[in-house]
Amino acid sequence: MTSWIEHPLCGPHDTMPTAFWGPERLDSAAFVDLVSLLSPDVEIAAILVALKDIKQVVDVGGGTGLITQAIAKGAEVTLIDPDPAQRALVPGGIVVADGRAEAVPLPDQATEAAIATWVLQYCDDPRKAIDELARIARHRVVIVQAAPGNDLVELYNREAAVAGLPAAHHGWLLAEAATRLEAAGFTVTLQRLAIPVRAPAGGAEELANTLARLHFAGHPKLADMIAVTTPLIGRTLAIGSGLSDDGVLLSARR
Ligand SMILES: C[S@@+](CC[C@H](N)C(=O)[O-])C[C@H]1O[C@@H](n2cnc3c(N)ncnc32)[C@H](O)[C@@H]1O
């Protein structure tokens, strides 16, 4: 692959930014609400395949341990996350530490594998975070970010427009990650993951509320964001097609 930015899973190409738009913010309570609507089975199964035969993993930005606990059934896992509210929800039996992806508190080549799922958009410097994953992992790096057509990114972008902020583009993050990991000696592949979002009991307005709080809790224009996204979500639910939080799994091996 000569240019990862042209890869179909790094699209859409007509809206590719020239620089990082973030960091985005994440509200822990809203994240817990959103996670209850997601079905992570496909994502977890693909991550376990990417980590086959690996016995030591560091989960950077592991959050509440949703993915980590599945990996911990077959490997020794350390979860690193800067948010004490997220770390407090990690189930027992997993080593948990405070830290940021841009400066992982571990020595070079400290682990067989490092993973970071849905994390790079929250980093002050995602390029530094990618380089840190390559620095600490001897054999594998796994990253998950949103796929082209992911509805939750589209809804984030509608909210960001209300706030006067630039649009997110996870393909930019994936292309940066693939390029930098390849330069660090890894062989990189990308794979699409189907991740449906269940409609909450409160319908479109409840989901619009959860997403706006997730991304922009406390923002003075929160109600305007919800007013913009509620009808968009409502139309998708009305035609019977659920929303997608589809991802791309980047698997890097050396
Ligand atoms: C959307 S959650 C994903 C959690 C988990 N990886 C998963 O897939 O379920 C994003 C996580 O990134 C963490 N985070 C935010 N900024 C970070 C940073 N600079 N370095 C590492 N993690 C960060 C948040 O605290 C949160 O737990």
Side-chain angles (χ1 to χ4, degrees):
M1 191 79 193
T2 47
S3 171
W4 284 100
I5 207 100
E6 290 160 19
H7 192 288
L9 290 177
C10 296
H13 295 102
D14 56 341
T15 53
M16 187 64 69
T18 52
F20 180 47
W21 60 92
E24 296 179 22
R25 291 178 41 212
L26 174 133
D27 177 77
S28 289
F31 180 63
V32 171
D33 291 345
L34 177 65
V35 164
S36 71
L37 304 175
L38 301 177
S39 306
D41 300 1
V42 167
E43 179 182 0
I44 288 172
I47 289 170
L48 294 180
V49 170
L51 294 176
K52 190 167 181 302
D53 300 327
I54 292 287
K55 294 289 167 212
Q56 187 190 30
V57 181
V58 174
D59 186 357
V60 179
T64 59
L66 181 73
I67 309 290
T68 332
Q69 55 191 314
I71 300 170
K73 289 180 185 153
E76 172 198 312
V77 195
T78 301
L79 182 153
I80 294 177
D81 199 284
D83 185 341
Q86 298 281 95
R87 294 199 308 268
L89 298 172
V90 177
I94 294 169
V95 178
V96 179
D98 183 13
R100 298 180 65 78
E102 300 91 328
V104 179
L106 290 171
D108 293 359
Q109 308 225 320
T111 181
E112 278 185 78
I115 79 163
T117 57
W118 308 96
V119 171
L120 295 178
Q121 70 270 38
Y122 302 108
C123 295
D124 293 338
D125 184 348
R127 291 181 172 121
K128 182 81 179 84
I130 294 159
D131 293 347
E132 282 289 89
L133 296 171
R135 180 184 70 76
I136 65 165
R138 296 193 294 281
H139 301 306
R140 308 254 175 100
V141 172
V142 175
I143 292 172
V144 177
Q145 293 294 152
N150 177 303
D151 289 315
L152 301 195
V153 173
E154 175 58 22
L155 292 164
Y156 169 89
N157 288 342
R158 301 296 181 120
E159 297 160 356
V162 172
L165 293 170
H169 193 302
H170 288 225
W172 185 88
L173 292 171
L174 286 161
E176 284 288 335
T179 305
R180 298 179 93 80
L181 289 167
E182 225 171 41
F186 288 88
T187 300
V188 176
T189 55
L190 302 182
Q191 165 191 356
R192 189 174 183 112
L193 305 172
I195 305 174
V197 184
R198 277 189 296 279
E205 186 157 7
E206 183 180 333
L207 184 54
N209 188 297
T210 299
L211 293 174
R213 285 188 295 113
L214 177 72
H215 304 132
F216 292 103
H219 194 281
K221 292 189 173 171
L222 201 71
D224 297 343
M225 294 172 188
I226 294 167
V228 166
T229 56
T230 299
L232 298 174
I233 297 170
R235 277 200 285 280
T236 306
L237 297 181
I239 59 170
S241 70
L243 283 98
S244 128
D245 191 25
D246 285 5
V248 172
L249 181 139
L250 180 159
S251 172
R253 294 172 171 240
R254 71 176 167 192

